[in-house]
Structure formats: C-alpha cells, structure tokens
Amino acid sequence: MVAVPIPDMPSAETVARIRAVLLDWYAVQARTLVWRTPPGVERRPDPYRVWLSEVMLQQTTTPHATPYFLAFTTRWPTVNDLAAAQDGDVMAAWAGLGYYARARNLLTCARAVASDHGGVFPDTEAALLNLPGVGAYTAAAVAAIAFGRPANVVDGNVERVMARLFAVETPLPAARPRLKALAARFVIGDQSGAEHADWPQALMDLGATVCRPKSPLCDSCPVAFGCAALATGEPGRYPLKVKKAERPHRYGIAWVLRDGQGGVALMRRPDKGLLGGMLGLPTSDWGDNPDTTPPVPADWREAGAVEHVFTHFSLTLAVHVAAGEGDFVWTAEAEALAGLPTVFRKALDRGLAG
Ligand code: SF4
C-alpha cells in the first residue's frame, strides 16, 4: 500500500530518518540524570520518581531540581511515604522550587495514588490523566518514560525543536497545536518500550543541550540535515513569539518581628492565591500603595528592601524590623531561613542583617 502524504506534515521517510538519527545520538549523548535509566534499557524507572521529577522540572532547571529530587526521594522513598507526609513538611521541602500550588497538587495526587490505586501508579496515559493535578504533559511523560508507552510528550524543548525543524512561521502561543501535531508524527506505535521511553527524552536532551533557546549549536546537531530553520540562516529566530506585555511592578512591606530569643514571627498564608498554604513573614498587601499598618504595635524600624520577580509581576518589598510578641507561628530564625519560600527568605535575611 502506498502511504498517503498528509498535507503540511513531514513525510513518513523524513520522520523515520530523523527518529533513527536522533535515537542513535541519544544512545551516546544522553544526559545522566538521577531519575533516569540509561538509553536502550527495557527495565523502566519507578513511576513515582519519573512523576516527581517531571513535576519539579516543569518550573525549574535540571541542576536546580536535582538536590530537591534527591531530598524528596530520600525522605519519602515511595509514593505511599509522600502520601503520609505532613502538608507543612512537604511545603517546607518544596520551598525554593516556586509555584507552590504544584506542591499542594503533588500531595493530592500522591494521596489519590495511595488511596485509590493501592500505591501503584496507573500505567496508561488516559488513567494517569485522571489523577488530580496531572496534566497532559505529565501524563504523557510518565506513560512514555515509566511505562514505555507511545505518547506525545511536548514540553518547551520539544516545541522549540519542532518549530525549528519545520521553520514554523506562526508565533507562539498560536503555533502550539501545530507544534503538537508535528511532534505527534514522530510517535510511532510499533516500537519497543525502550524506544517509546527514549524518544521524548532524546528530543528533550536535544532541546536542552544542542537546540538551545539562545544560540543553538547547529554545528553539533545530529538532525541539522533536516532542519528548515537552519536552511533559513536564522535558526535562533524560531520559535516566533508574540511580544509579552511588560511585567507590572508592585510594592509591599515585610514585617520581621523577633522575640529576642532567636525566634521570628511567621504566618501561614491562605490556601488560595500566591504562595498559598506556605508559611511566610507577615506582609502588607502587594500593590501600588500597600497598607503600612504593622501586624502588631512595636518599635518598628526600616531595614532596607529586597527585590523579587514572580511570573506575573515584580516586587519591591520594604523590610521593617522590631522586637515584640503576638499570636504567630514562632519559628527559630535559622529554621525559617532554611525553609521559607525565596521571597521571604530574602526579606528575613535582610531583616536579620539590618
Ligand atoms: Fe536546532 Fe540547529 Fe539542530 Fe535545527 S540544526 S534542530 S536549529 S540545533
């Protein structure tokens, strides 16, 4: 039977050639990562470790995520251990990874696996997608990497590689469905489990180490022979992006209240909203004209300010310090410095120095 070409899509021959070359490259060049099994190995890694690594990697780089991954898997070696953990312990261990809603989702998902699936992750993409907090990307990644199933795993690296290989002129985010469809052409059903697992990781490694966001290393690229962006002479122009609106700036006050015995006042933030459920310093609201009323009357003095950038806004936080008492979560200063989310850690550091 003659294969019917799909309009606007690479031919089966192109797909097969790029796949073969990239899998060969991955067999030699795969990054060694603590949550991985090496290329070509049929024995799959523990789905708990794959899931945990993928959730962590959605918001940070591999070098930043690695110590967190090691700390989590040492303290909670199985999904059942994580499910049984105290919320506050997991939130504190997550501090510094950002996007704290993910830490809450992580716990909800671990508890669902423990209670509804007997502590065993479901092994299909569709069933994984039914777990709370598991989105399309994570379900596909766990299905492919942990269970060796064919799945279209599309992260930012894969989008970039597809946009460049096929010189997609539509800017992101509108290009997303096309990039996903292009990536899907490379997911071929009748391969071994190891190949299903290796393929998305090969694409991710190419994107992370060679087809980098800025200055791609096209001279070392195994798939340069098939790259339309390289043929244009400006591969770094892809993927095109709609210019982002400028990030707004907000102001606020962080109150560092010390008890004179090495303790500092913390408050648990409301579950909903930014840094929800995390312990933090008492603060004002964050906006153009924050409320300057301190949390308790005391002899407050200014101790400088810190800057922090969140995804949707940047923040200048004036730090005020006083000695006093009140109804707070009193925590040893050293412990607070080690466990608070970064923005509060910066402010506390400033307050203790000032
Ligand atoms: Fe990326 Fe360059 Fe390779 Fe094209 S040739 S896929 S732009 S590294």
Side-chain angles (χ1 to χ4, degrees), residues 160-161 164-165 206 210-212 216-230 235-236:
R160 183 169 61 258
V161 171
R164 288 176 176 168
L165 278 175
L206 184 78
V210 178
C211 196
R212 308 178 307 187
L217 302 173
C218 302
D219 287 347
S220 330
C221 179
V223 293
F225 65 87
C227 181
L230 181 59

Side-chain angles (χ1 to χ4, degrees), residues 11-349:
S11 68
E13 293 72 29
T14 302
V15 166
R17 190 155 168 235
I18 290 176
R19 246 189 88 99
V21 170
L22 195 51
L23 283 169
D24 284 350
W25 172 84
Y26 180 70
V28 180
Q29 300 288 346
R31 288 175 295 170
T32 302
L33 304 174
V34 290
W35 45 81
R36 253 190 191 170
T37 50
V41 173
E42 283 296 341
R43 177 181 53 80
R44 304 299 346 129
D46 179 355
Y48 167 61
R49 294 168 66 86
V50 176
W51 164 75
L52 184 62
S53 67
E54 289 299 338
V55 176
M56 287 182 172
L57 287 170
Q58 282 170 40
Q59 57 222 22
T60 188
T61 59
T62 299
H64 188 66
T66 299
Y68 285 90
F69 177 84
L70 292 172
F72 263 70
T73 49
T74 301
R75 191 163 175 192
W76 301 296
T78 69
V79 69
N80 287 329
D81 296 321
L82 183 61
Q86 298 290 320
D87 290 35
D89 289 346
V90 174
M91 291 295 178
W94 191 267
L97 271 177
Y99 293 90
Y100 296 92
R102 292 229 171 96
R104 286 200 301 280
N105 285 339
L106 192 81
L107 257 179
T108 310
C109 180
R111 287 171 183 160
V113 172
S115 61
D116 303 345
H117 298 272
V120 178
F121 272 85
D123 66 355
T124 64
E125 190 176 348
L128 287 160
L129 204 46
N130 278 333
L131 291 172
V134 171
Y137 168 79
T138 308
V142 176
I145 299 169
F147 296 111
R149 296 199 180 275
N152 193 19
V153 186
V154 184
D155 69 352
N157 281 322
V158 176
E159 283 184 347
R160 183 169 61 258
V161 171
M162 290 299 145
R164 288 176 176 168
L165 278 175
F166 302 104
V168 173
E169 293 293 338
T170 309
L172 284 170
R176 237 160 230 145
R178 172 148 173 76
L179 298 176
K180 192 166 184 185
L182 284 165
R185 282 285 282 162
F186 290 84
V187 180
I188 300 172
D190 58 349
Q191 309 289 311
S192 69
E195 275 196 57
H196 289 315
D198 287 352
W199 173 249
Q201 297 183 92
L203 267 180
M204 287 174 198
D205 278 20
L206 184 78
T209 63
V210 178
C211 196
R212 308 178 307 187
K214 289 179 189 148
S215 50
L217 302 173
C218 302
D219 287 347
S220 330
C221 179
V223 293
F225 65 87
C227 181
L230 181 59
T232 71
E234 286 185 282
R237 194 168 78 84
Y238 300 87
L240 278 64
K241 289 187 183 139
V242 173
K243 212 165 177 276
K244 273 197 192 150
E246 216 169 277
R247 194 184 264 132
H249 192 82
R250 296 182 188 167
Y251 300 87
I253 301 169
W255 307 99
V256 176
L257 186 68
R258 307 173 72 180
D259 64 4
Q261 294 158 39
V264 63
L266 303 182
M267 295 175 74
R268 185 147 321 265
R269 298 176 63 82
D271 273 347
K272 295 249 177 289
L274 193 66
L275 305 166
M278 304 293 295
L279 274 178
L281 292 169
T283 70
S284 66
D285 56 318
W286 298 345
D288 283 339
N289 291 301
D291 183 355
T292 57
T293 313
V296 288
D299 187 13
W300 291 98
R301 63 182 169 78
E302 285 193 38
V306 294
E307 304 286 332
H308 192 74
V309 179
F310 293 99
T311 313
H312 299 296
F313 65 96
S314 53
L315 176 71
T316 300
L317 208 49
V319 181
H320 292 230
V321 187
E325 52 189 29
D327 186 15
F328 296 100
V329 181
W330 289 96
T331 306
E333 289 165 0
E335 192 184 319
L337 272 176
L340 284 177
T342 310
V343 61
F344 297 123
R345 203 181 305 169
K346 284 184 194 171
L348 178 57
D349 204 31

